[in-house]
Amino acid sequence: YTYITKETSVYMRSRVFSVFNFITSSIIPIGTAFYGILLDKFSGYSVVLTIAIINIFMVLVFYFIFPKKLFD
């Protein structure tokens, strides 16, 4: 979020963030439906554990692959 703010010009910032907010708000119902389908097919423990492992993996990938300036 900070990286987007730094790299976007002042004149385009409101447009970029309105699109960003639209996309993130649109993903919430999709994620809820996805979790509902997974919870109908699998146990709650296995779904939460699998998603937690995927999230940890994604954090490690972002931390070690992307430049350190993204995290400053």
Side-chain angles (χ1 to χ4, degrees):
Y1 200 74
T2 305
Y3 180 75
I4 295 171
T5 305
K6 288 181 180 178
E7 296 298 319
T8 306
S9 69
V10 176
Y11 301 108
M12 292 296 294
R13 196 169 292 157
S14 63
R15 293 177 181 93
V16 169
F17 280 113
S18 65
V19 170
F20 182 76
N21 287 332
F22 173 75
I23 291 170
T24 55
S25 297
S26 300
I27 290 175
I28 292 171
I30 296 169
T32 303
F34 180 70
Y35 267 100
I37 292 169
L38 286 177
L39 289 172
D40 283 343
K41 295 188 182 284
F42 305 104
S43 69
Y45 175 77
S46 61
V47 170
V48 171
L49 181 64
T50 304
I51 298 298
I53 291 171
I54 291 170
N55 283 337
I56 290 170
F57 176 74
M58 289 174 58
V59 166
L60 292 174
V61 166
F62 275 98
Y63 184 76
F64 288 113
I65 291 180
F66 286 97
K68 297 290 183 186
K69 75 174 188 170
L70 290 177
F71 298 103
D72 290 338

